Amino acid sequence: MRTTVIGSYPFPGWLEYASAHLGEFGADDIREMQDDAVIAAIHDQVAAGLDVISDGEQTRLDFNLSFYGFLEGIAVEPAPPRRFGPPAHDQRGKHAIVGELRAPRGLGAVEEYQRLQRLAPTGPILKASVPGPYTLSGRLVPNRQYPDRWAVTEALLPAVRNELEMLVRAGCKEITVDEPSMSCYAWREDPRRFVDIFNRTVEAVAGRCRLSTHLCFGNYKARAVGPRRYAPMFPAFLEMHADEIHLEMASREFAEIELIGEIARHKSVAVGIVDVKSYYVETPEDIAARVRQCLAYAPPERLSFAPDCGLSQTARWAAKQKLANMVKGVRQVRG
């Protein structure tokens, strides 16, 4: 019963401020700042006692938006279409495609992982997270060359596949291919088409590392973006070439929990046992009770436990305590 994370972690306040004033820093200052932010994220995860840690995605803009900076063939939109009012996904704009979509410098995940390798202590498993091509396609506007989202996805797939190969060559043993858009839109699309895209994305690294994927209904400012039901995805998603499938459960009051038993018959299942959308800090006893609830459906050797989603939208003081209590609760049941 491993304790793990999805990938993102809240930025320290000073990093938020510095990111808005990068023109005042030199290149060496920025590199030092990046190291310091990752050290802070590592510290909080190691102090919590996690079995698997990430770099907290401290050098990214959200979990995926900074990847567009590595793409050729797009015109990055200078400002979102709606800047004021209640937060929603339309406050993150879309970029026009102006040429062939390419990523000749890679997508930056390898550099992130190498920084994590350099700064992390021995002990925890080190995990990298890369958004998949369907999710990345969502913020690009189709054009004559790429007439719909499927065509944009196919154009991005080689870049993501290459990034995964480079991560494995760099020594990465655990990778999450993050495709939340697939779970957000499985209710209206053919889930078998999603499975085909996923499997072609990971085909070069399947069996060479521990592969997981994260099913999520959206978490921008704690707002979902699709019907919060797993039923439309299964049984098709069982055919994904992943070693572990992560399910958001805590924020959904463990609805459809019986699904973890079905997944566990085929592969490992990571259960989102901490609600990142709530500022109620789960106690270790809460966590232990939830772990026992999961054990009624799946054997311990097939279970991992994690927050529902990345922690980037949760204040750091709450994220630290939620992770620490998650580990304590799982350890109670292990004992």
Side-chain angles (χ1 to χ4, degrees):
M1 299 194 297
R2 305 184 324 152
T3 53
T4 183
V5 288
I6 305 307
S8 68
Y9 192 73
F11 292 165
W14 57 262
L15 183 63
E16 296 259 12
Y17 179 84
S19 297
H21 300 84
L22 284 180
E24 298 178 28
F25 295 88
D28 289 346
D29 299 321
I30 291 172
R31 279 190 289 271
E32 182 179 288
M33 188 171 11
Q34 290 173 323
D35 276 12
D36 290 347
V38 173
I39 288 168
I42 290 170
H43 170 273
D44 288 1
Q45 293 173 88
V46 171
L50 288 162
D51 300 311
V52 183
I53 67 170
S54 74
D55 71 342
E57 299 176 3
Q58 297 291 289
T59 59
R60 295 185 188 180
L61 174 63
D62 204 357
F63 81 101
N64 68 333
L65 298 187
S66 56
F67 283 81
Y68 299 114
F70 289 91
L71 290 177
E72 289 184 354
I74 69 172
V76 177
E77 188 176 56
R82 184 172 71 86
R83 301 180 67 177
F84 302 103
H89 291 258
D90 64 343
Q91 290 177 331
R92 299 189 296 177
K94 296 193 173 188
H95 312 305
I97 301 175
V98 295
E100 183 182 356
L101 293 173
R102 297 172 59 246
R105 299 178 292 128
L107 294 171
V110 175
E111 181 183 351
E112 292 173 342
Y113 180 73
Q114 289 171 333
R115 183 186 295 111
L116 176 61
Q117 276 182 311
R118 175 167 54 83
L119 298 174
T122 47
I125 297 165
L126 307 183
K127 180 179 190 175
S129 181
V130 180
Y134 184 75
T135 293
L136 282 175
S137 71
R139 303 227 164 261
L140 299 180
V141 182
N143 64 0
R144 191 171 295 176
Q145 184 178 3
Y146 305 104
D148 56 28
R149 184 167 183 175
W150 301 109
V152 177
T153 299
E154 292 295 339
L156 295 173
L157 196 153
V160 177
R161 185 166 52 202
N162 182 59
E163 196 75 10
L164 298 177
E165 287 188 80
M166 292 194 298
L167 274 169
V168 170
R169 285 200 294 270
C172 188
K173 304 295 186 189
E174 182 143 353
I175 303 174
T176 292
V177 179
D178 212 358
E179 279 283 20
S181 291
M182 288 187 176
S183 35
C184 288
Y185 302 117
W187 63 277
R188 72 181 191 196
E189 305 287 357
D190 180 356
R192 293 168 299 181
R193 192 171 188 180
F194 286 144
V195 171
D196 173 65
I197 290 168
F198 184 90
N199 289 346
R200 286 188 288 116
T201 302
V202 304
E203 62 186 356
V205 297
R208 298 171 59 195
C209 63
R210 183 182 177 93
L211 270 175
S212 63
T213 192
H214 168 224
L215 307 186
C216 170
F217 300 101
N219 191 40
Y220 178 63
K221 306 298 184 185
R223 265 67 173 183
V225 77
R228 301 171 73 205
R229 293 179 61 246
Y230 287 117
M233 307 170 210
F234 291 91
F237 277 25
L238 293 174
E239 299 301 320
M240 284 181 164
H241 294 164
D243 302 297
E244 181 177 85
I245 292 179
H246 174 274
L247 302 178
E248 174 183 337
M249 279 283 168
S251 70
R252 301 170 59 256
E253 307 299 333
F254 288 80
E256 299 177 288
I257 189 175
E258 65 280 357
L259 186 57
I260 73 172
E262 184 179 352
I263 296 172
R265 285 193 288 272
H266 301 267
K267 54 192 79 207
S268 294
V269 54
V271 182
I273 205 166
V274 164
D275 186 353
V276 303
K277 297 178 172 71
S278 170
Y279 278 95
Y280 170 70
V281 176
E282 298 85 351
T283 67
E285 291 69 31
D286 291 333
I287 299 296
R290 294 172 185 181
V291 170
R292 293 189 179 98
Q293 187 179 357
C294 295
L295 285 168
Y297 295 90
E301 65 273 13
R302 284 293 177 98
L303 285 170
S304 296
F305 296 101
D308 268 345
C309 199
L311 286 158
S312 64
Q313 306 292 306
T314 307
R316 190 178 172 200
W317 63 264
K320 282 198 285 190
Q321 196 59 58
K322 281 174 175 278
L323 286 181
N325 288 359
M326 183 183 82
V327 172
K328 289 176 184 174
V330 173
R331 284 178 176 171
Q332 278 185 24
V333 182
R334 277 186 192 159

